Amino acid sequence: MDTLVRMDHEPDTLIEYFYKWEQLKPDNVFLKQPVGDNFIDYTWAEAGRQARIMATYLNSLGLPPKSNIGLVSKNCAHWIIADLAILISGHVSVPFYPTLTGPQLRQVLEHSECRVLFIGKLDGWDAVKMSVPAGIQKIAFPAYIPTAPPVDTDAVQWGDILNTNKPLSGNPLPEKEDLFTIIYTSGTTGNPKGVMITYDAVTAVMGKTQEQMRYDVIEARFFSYLPLCHIAERNVVEATGIGMGGTIYFAESLDTFARNLAVARPTHFLAVPRIWTKFQLGILAKIPQSKLDTLMKIPVVSSLIKRKIRQGLGLNDARLIITGAAPMPISLIQWFRRLGIIIQEAYGMTENLGAVSMMPADKLKDGTVGRVNEGMEIRTDPQTGEVQTKSRWNMLGYYREPELTAATIREGWLYTGDVGEVDREGFLRITGRVKEMYKSPKGEYIAPSQIEFGFADNNHIEQVCVTGQQLPQPIALIVLSETARQTDRQTVAQGLQQTLDALNERVHNYERVRKLIVMKEPWTVENDLMTPTMKMKRNVIDARYGTRYEPWFGREEVIVWED
């Protein structure tokens, strides 16, 4: 039903927030797409015009109402515009990771039953596009550089659609209980699952977290670079950006990331722990820790150093700095805090919109993932300690997976798979994953992630995986940082040994790590050892290296360098 947006109440759906700003400030910049040293600006009115024309085209295809429409692209302005077009046309947005291989993309396209696929900025699309099932209508984003070739010559081109269609009039509104999106999980274990999320779930989270998300900031700016198909980026950047009427900047490429971030100067910034580790290593490459410690003891110099580092990162205007998607070592959070960068950890999963808890800015409690959000109920299993959640924003279920849904949601409670506890002040502590914990040969439970935190202070270590379920004691697989790779092996080995000795003094006997294995190959998305959200795939690591664990364990030396 077409209707004007009423301004006397808070919008009920995300698309209604967009209509609100489209009407109130049509000429303000909504999206800023970098191209070299310049930007292509898209105002609220222009983004709306293109989204409405695309909605007209989607409706001309004769699709059944509420059809699933796919979207595969790196983050860019037209990712957001295409998402809006899908919503305006009354269909369901189904975004996919831009790093998927051909077989992986085919699997989720077939499982999601997508009728249409938007295609944008991608690497190696020519090798992937043959996997798109026949019968799916492809629509290619425009190239931001005029001389660049089309994204996909076989697809209908975005520019041609704009030139031959008129904008959809009015403001079509969905019902709150309608399906807003299907988000496929990153697949840390097995095939990705399609999480079904309603419009009501999204606006419920937005309404309950406005204070934490700093809706009071004027002229809010966001920087989008983590995959927009992930729940954290979708919430913190897209939904909050649209909810606040803010401006969203994008990263053009990995090479321009730092420059793009410095120009954007976001007021709201989200980064996963791996990004914070890279920021730390970059700072220490310019100012060694010993020199930094000395300078930080001098009051006036300390203030200058803090400001220079924040400006260098592009975070001098940041009013909300969030980390999530994976556990972040306490020592790393405290390291940045000493530089005046207050990182607030948030916790959740796709199945509950990533909105279980968040660290309050005015009451930091290290060792927890923040205070449980208003509107979120939590209980823990008395036997396993598994965290279970109940809220308006729990998922409807997994698309076309009734058995998996029944195993995950029981009597309204979502079984997260995380182990944790809530303290008297309502702060949540996560201590491991139910499926990651294993019994040692002697029968004691070992939580790898808690042991891994013991390696966080060693700047020679970029990635670590504690494993060895069938071994007498755990072992740790280590990926060295760039700094360590440029340092002589003996110095690195001494530092690793000191870290290991300190760790083993703090843990139970059965948790003591017997061997450190220094890996030759980093774990990346490309070699399938990391998810697109930079979480390591333990099961894939074990499958790839498991046959070597016992020989490594039997070596005489404590630190083993992979052959």
Side-chain angles (χ1 to χ4, degrees):
M1 181 180 181
D2 293 353
T3 181
L4 286 176
V5 176
R6 288 166 39 215
M7 297 303 172
D8 59 350
H9 77 299
E10 276 296 294
D12 290 325
T13 60
L14 184 64
I15 194 63
E16 197 174 352
Y17 275 100
F18 175 77
Y19 294 152
K20 171 184 174 180
W21 300 118
E22 185 187 30
Q23 287 180 219
L24 289 181
K25 50 182 186 181
D27 298 327
N28 287 32
V29 176
F30 171 36
L31 307 170
K32 290 186 74 74
Q33 177 65 44
V35 180
D37 294 327
N38 301 308
F39 284 91
I40 301 174
D41 290 348
Y42 297 88
T43 62
W44 289 91
E46 177 58 20
R49 184 186 75 86
Q50 294 197 25
R52 289 169 178 280
I53 291 175
M54 197 56 54
T56 296
Y57 176 75
L58 291 174
N59 287 341
S60 75
L61 299 177
L63 302 172
K66 304 176 184 178
S67 290
N68 295 338
I69 295 182
L71 199 171
V72 59
S73 172
K74 293 181 182 180
N75 297 15
C76 62
H78 281 83
W79 199 108
I80 302 286
I81 297 172
D83 202 36
L84 291 169
I86 295 169
L87 306 185
I88 292 171
S89 62
H91 296 300
V92 180
S93 169
V94 189
F96 304 117
Y97 285 100
T99 52
L100 294 178
T101 63
Q104 289 170 336
L105 180 60
R106 186 179 188 90
Q107 188 270 323
V108 289
L109 280 171
E110 290 179 341
H111 186 273
S112 62
E113 303 176 305
C114 282
R115 306 293 191 97
V116 179
L117 178 65
F118 284 98
I119 303 159
K121 291 175 59 181
L122 294 165
D123 295 325
W125 176 246
D126 287 342
V128 174
K129 68 179 182 180
M130 301 302 292
S131 297
V132 176
I136 290 182
Q137 174 68 67
K138 295 187 294 182
I139 302 172
F141 287 179
Y144 295 114
I145 301 173
T147 56
V151 173
D152 187 328
T153 54
D154 299 328
V156 178
Q157 302 301 307
W158 186 284
D160 292 341
I161 293 173
L162 292 188
N163 292 333
T164 55
N165 291 271
K166 293 182 178 180
L168 188 70
S169 61
N171 295 325
L173 294 175
E175 299 295 330
K176 292 196 295 182
E177 60 270 16
D178 284 348
L179 201 56
F180 157 62
T181 189
I182 300 173
I183 297 183
Y184 277 82
T185 59
S186 55
T188 50
T189 55
N191 283 335
K193 300 183 287 291
V195 176
M196 296 187 290
I197 297 171
T198 64
Y199 281 92
D200 182 61
V202 176
T203 47
V205 169
M206 293 170 73
K208 293 292 186 181
T209 60
Q210 288 193 6
E211 183 177 348
Q212 296 100 304
M213 297 304 294
R214 295 299 306 270
Y215 270 61
D216 61 316
V217 172
I218 306 300
E219 296 183 358
R221 297 184 300 278
F222 300 79
F223 185 65
S224 181
Y225 67 100
L226 294 171
L228 267 165
C229 56
H230 186 269
I231 191 63
E233 188 84 353
R234 202 92 176 273
N235 271 346
V236 175
V237 174
E238 184 185 31
T240 308
I242 291 174
M244 294 182 66
T247 301
I248 301 174
Y249 290 69
F250 297 89
E252 185 176 22
S253 68
L254 190 60
D255 292 337
T256 65
F257 174 88
R259 185 169 79 245
N260 295 152
L261 176 57
V263 172
R265 295 180 298 111
T267 58
H268 294 63
F269 182 68
L270 165 70
V272 296
R274 183 93 186 278
I275 297 294
W276 292 112
T277 299
K278 287 187 174 294
F279 282 170
Q280 181 192 44
L281 293 173
I283 293 167
L284 293 176
K286 297 176 181 177
I287 311 176
Q289 188 67 60
S290 57
K291 183 177 180 181
L292 184 61
D293 290 341
T294 300
L295 294 174
M296 291 292 286
K297 292 176 182 176
I298 307 171
V300 176
V301 175
S302 173
S303 298
L304 292 173
I305 290 291
K306 289 178 183 179
R307 185 159 60 249
K308 185 174 181 180
I309 288 174
R310 284 180 66 104
Q311 288 176 338
L313 292 175
L315 300 179
N316 211 42
D317 292 347
R319 297 296 174 265
L320 178 65
I321 301 175
I322 304 177
T323 188
M328 182 150 165
I330 299 171
S331 58
L332 188 58
I333 291 176
Q334 292 173 340
W335 189 88
F336 277 101
R337 193 182 300 159
R338 288 192 289 271
L339 297 177
I341 297 173
I342 309 301
I343 301 172
Q344 295 170 243
E345 193 162 6
Y347 163 76
M349 53 199 296
T350 310
E351 289 84 345
N352 48 36
L353 269 72
V356 174
S357 64
M358 183 171 168
M359 191 71 70
D362 59 352
K363 186 174 176 58
L364 304 172
K365 196 166 190 178
D366 291 336
T368 75
V369 288
R371 183 182 284 137
V372 176
N373 289 327
E374 181 186 353
M376 172 62 67
E377 294 181 63
I378 284 189
R379 71 182 188 186
T380 56
D381 186 282
Q383 268 73 47
T384 65
E386 181 178 11
V387 174
Q388 298 158 19
T389 71
K390 181 186 282 189
S391 68
R392 266 176 65 192
W393 52 90
N394 273 0
M395 68 171 180
L396 280 182
Y398 296 118
Y399 186 66
R400 296 178 60 198
E401 300 289 353
E403 291 183 3
L404 279 174
T405 299
T408 306
I409 299 181
R410 306 172 211 166
E411 298 179 348
W413 289 95
L414 176 69
Y415 286 62
T416 67
D418 287 320
V419 178
E421 57 190 18
V422 180
D423 68 18
R424 292 180 179 178
E425 295 181 292
F427 284 77
L428 175 63
R429 188 183 309 274
I430 299 295
T431 56
R433 289 281 297 168
V434 174
K435 291 182 179 178
E436 287 176 4
M437 294 176 68
Y438 65 87
K439 272 189 178 183
S440 73
K442 297 177 183 177
E444 301 97 343
Y445 278 103
I446 294 175
S449 59
Q450 297 305 300
I451 302 173
E452 287 160 3
F453 281 147
F455 295 95
D457 290 336
N458 191 319
N459 293 324
H460 286 154
I461 299 173
E462 184 163 325
Q463 297 165 295
V464 58
C465 177
V466 170
T467 186
Q469 184 168 352
Q470 307 304 323
L471 300 176
Q473 294 286 144
I475 62 173
L477 311 185
I478 299 290
V479 173
L480 296 178
S481 66
E482 188 64 36
T483 302
R485 295 191 196 104
Q486 298 172 5
T487 306
D488 67 273
R489 182 176 286 195
Q490 184 177 354
T491 301
V492 172
Q494 288 175 348
L496 293 177
Q497 185 67 60
Q498 290 171 1
T499 297
L500 181 63
D501 291 343
L503 165 68
N504 283 339
E505 287 180 6
R506 300 195 301 268
V507 299
H508 297 293
N509 288 340
Y510 59 85
E511 295 176 310
R512 289 179 177 171
V513 175
R514 182 68 60 86
K515 303 285 179 182
L516 295 185
I517 316 300
V518 182
M519 313 302 291
K520 287 194 303 185
E521 181 185 30
W523 305 329
T524 65
V525 175
E526 289 70 27
N527 63 21
D528 197 37
L529 296 175
M530 298 282 284
T531 71
T533 53
M534 300 185 187
K535 290 183 280 193
M536 63 183 169
K537 296 183 176 181
R538 292 181 188 273
N539 60 328
V540 178
I541 291 171
D542 282 338
R544 188 166 300 183
Y545 299 108
T547 58
R548 304 177 69 182
Y549 291 170
E550 197 167 326
W552 281 335
F553 191 85
R555 294 273 289 269
E556 183 177 345
E557 63 270 34
V558 174
I559 298 174
V560 179
W561 301 76
E562 185 188 6
D563 299 329

